[in-house]
Amino acid sequence: MRQRPGSAKGVVFFTVEDEWGIANLVVYPDLASTFRAVVVAARLVVAEGRVERLDAAVPIIHLIVRRLIDRSELLAGLATLDDPAQAPWRRALARADEVEKPDLRGDPRMKLPPSRDFH
């Protein structure tokens, strides 16, 4: 934020992506200075504004930001999702990209057969 590119004239761009696609957040210089702390330091941002769409072969979505809210404190709650003591439902609800594997270290059935040296 300190070094502003000359071509953007102080406009800050965020690119965000979710399962629905990609969007660009456009923050004009007056709002960028008002919400400077959020722009520079926030890890999770709620953006409110006006949506502009361009329907082309690749749809382009811009959100002209009117307000930014720092919601980084919500990320601290994600750590409790992995703690079985605080989340007893963890086994019932699994993440789509995660498979819980049993810990087989020390299991006598997992021993490798003795090696055969061919010298």
Side-chain angles (χ1 to χ4, degrees):
M1 175 96 181
R2 187 171 167 221
Q3 296 177 350
R4 296 181 182 172
S7 62
K9 298 192 190 286
V11 177
V12 178
F13 300 94
F14 290 92
T15 301
V16 293
E17 181 178 3
D18 67 0
E19 60 272 6
W20 299 100
I22 298 173
N24 298 309
L25 305 182
V26 181
V27 183
Y28 286 110
D30 56 338
L31 286 173
S33 62
T34 303
F35 297 108
R36 182 175 178 13
V38 178
V39 170
V40 172
R43 298 180 317 162
L44 181 64
V45 176
V46 174
E48 297 176 358
R50 180 174 43 94
V51 176
E52 292 183 354
R53 296 177 195 252
L54 176 62
D55 292 322
V58 176
I60 300 170
I61 301 171
H62 296 290
L63 177 71
I64 310 302
V65 175
R66 292 187 183 136
R67 183 173 157 203
L68 289 172
I69 304 166
D70 183 2
R71 295 305 307 261
S72 298
E73 77 279 357
L74 293 176
L75 294 175
L78 291 177
T80 61
L81 293 176
D82 290 333
D83 185 6
Q86 294 185 16
W89 43 263
R90 182 170 186 257
R91 289 180 121 358
L93 299 173
R95 295 180 183 161
D97 61 346
E98 182 179 296
V99 176
E100 197 165 313
K101 297 178 184 172
D103 186 11
L104 298 175
R105 290 176 288 185
D107 189 346
R109 295 176 295 166
M110 296 306 294
K111 281 190 168 182
L112 294 174
S115 66
R116 296 173 50 185
D117 295 329
F118 297 101
H119 288 94

